[in-house]
Amino acid sequence: MKRTLYELLHIAAGLVGTALIAWASSWAVPYLWQEIWGVACVAMAIVAFMGVRPLRLAWRADRTATAGRRPTDG
């Protein structure tokens, strides 16, 4: 469960970081807030999508560790 939690925290940190950068950018250039948040939403979707495979591998490793077997990569 520890590996899965770490991966979830990494995904959350990426989403929060992206949102903070978008917020600061839209604050600095208020007339472009729609375009900035549009790009930020796409970037957040990419961050979430890129975290799926590591999350699956961590979940599988946690399951095999609790079952007493050796975790496999791949």
Side-chain angles (χ1 to χ4, degrees):
M1 186 66 183
K2 185 191 255 186
R3 293 176 189 96
T4 305
L5 181 62
Y6 286 156
E7 289 300 328
L8 286 172
L9 289 174
H10 278 113
I11 293 170
L15 295 175
V16 168
T18 304
L20 286 175
I21 290 172
W23 174 81
S25 300
S26 64
W27 175 80
V29 189
Y31 59 90
L32 291 177
W33 70 272
Q34 286 181 329
E35 288 80 7
I36 291 169
W37 279 103
V39 171
C41 288
V42 170
M44 291 169 83
I46 291 170
V47 166
F49 179 72
M50 289 176 60
V52 170
R53 185 170 188 273
L55 183 63
R56 279 186 358 163
L57 291 175
W59 182 65
R60 186 183 309 154
D62 283 340
R63 275 194 348 187
T64 56
T66 57
R69 295 179 299 197
R70 184 171 172 232
T72 59
D73 294 331

